[in-house]
Amino acid sequence: MTEAVELVESTVTVPAKGDITAEFTLEPTGADQLWILKDSNGLEFDTFHIVFEGVSSGGTSNSGKATLLISLVNTTLEFAKQPGKYDGIDTYDNDNDGLGAIQKCKVKNQAPQVLEIELKANKQTPNGFSFKWVAENSSEGTVYSADPKMRAEPQ
C-alpha cells in the first residue's frame, strides 16, 4: 500500500490591488533531487501557494502583484539565463493557464544567484503549473532539480 505524501506549502497572500514581496532561499542538493527551499523564517517547504485576494468575486483587475525573490545558497551554481520568457525554471503541466500568471521570471542583473518571479492572477479560478529549477556553472554545466509546483488561488 502506498502512502500519500502531503506537500508542505509556503502560502503568500497578496492583498487586492496590493503588492507583496517574499524572500526565499534555495539550496541545490544535486541533479533530479528536491532542492531545499526555505521561506524567510527558515521553514522548509515543497511548493508555493499564492493567494490573490479580491479576485474570485471582483475579477483579475483586482489582482495585486506577488514578487518572489529566490536566492541560491551554499553553492557555486547560478540561475540559468535562458532564451524565452523564463530564467531559472523549466515549466510543464500548465493547469488552467497557470503560466499566464507569470509576469516576469528573470535573473537579477548584478546578482546571478537571485531569481525574481513576479505573479498576478490571470483567472478567477485556481490554476498553476509545475516546474524544475534550472541552475548552471562552468564545472557542472546545467543542473535541473526535481519538481516543485506553483499554485495560484483567487479569493
Side-chain angles (χ1 to χ4, degrees):
M1 182 171 153
T2 46
E3 209 173 295
V5 176
E6 189 170 322
L7 295 177
V8 177
E9 294 182 328
S10 177
T11 301
V12 176
T13 301
V14 182
K17 297 186 179 184
D19 293 342
I20 190 161
T21 299
E23 295 185 22
F24 303 92
T25 60
L26 178 64
E27 182 174 356
T29 56
D32 300 318
Q33 295 183 28
L34 194 58
W35 294 3
I36 301 168
L37 190 56
K38 293 182 181 180
D39 65 14
S40 59
N41 295 318
L43 299 174
E44 198 171 316
F45 66 97
D46 304 308
T47 186
F48 294 99
H49 176 208
I50 313 299
V51 176
F52 293 98
E53 293 180 334
V55 173
S56 63
S57 60
T60 58
S61 64
N62 281 334
S63 179
K65 178 177 71 175
T67 301
L68 310 180
L69 297 174
I70 299 99
S71 298
L72 286 169
V73 295
N74 301 324
T75 184
T76 59
L77 290 168
E78 298 177 349
F79 283 110
K81 289 186 180 180
Q82 304 178 116
K85 191 172 180 181
Y86 313 121
D87 287 345
I89 61 173
D90 182 26
T91 63
Y92 62 98
D93 288 346
N94 186 11
D95 179 27
N96 191 25
D97 192 28
L99 291 174
I102 301 174
Q103 303 296 300
K104 173 179 160 183
C105 186
K106 294 291 177 193
V107 173
K108 296 280 270 181
N109 285 340
Q110 302 303 315
Q113 287 191 312
V114 178
L115 184 67
E116 182 176 8
I117 304 174
E118 289 182 1
L119 302 152
K120 286 186 89 166
N122 65 321
K123 298 273 185 179
Q124 287 182 264
T125 54
N127 61 11
F129 57 91
S130 296
F131 65 98
K132 295 180 182 207
W133 299 109
V134 185
E136 62 190 3
N137 67 18
S138 58
S139 63
E140 296 177 72
T142 302
V143 181
Y144 293 85
S145 73
D147 317 338
K149 187 174 175 95
M150 178 80 66
R151 185 165 68 96
E153 180 182 346
Q155 284 192 343

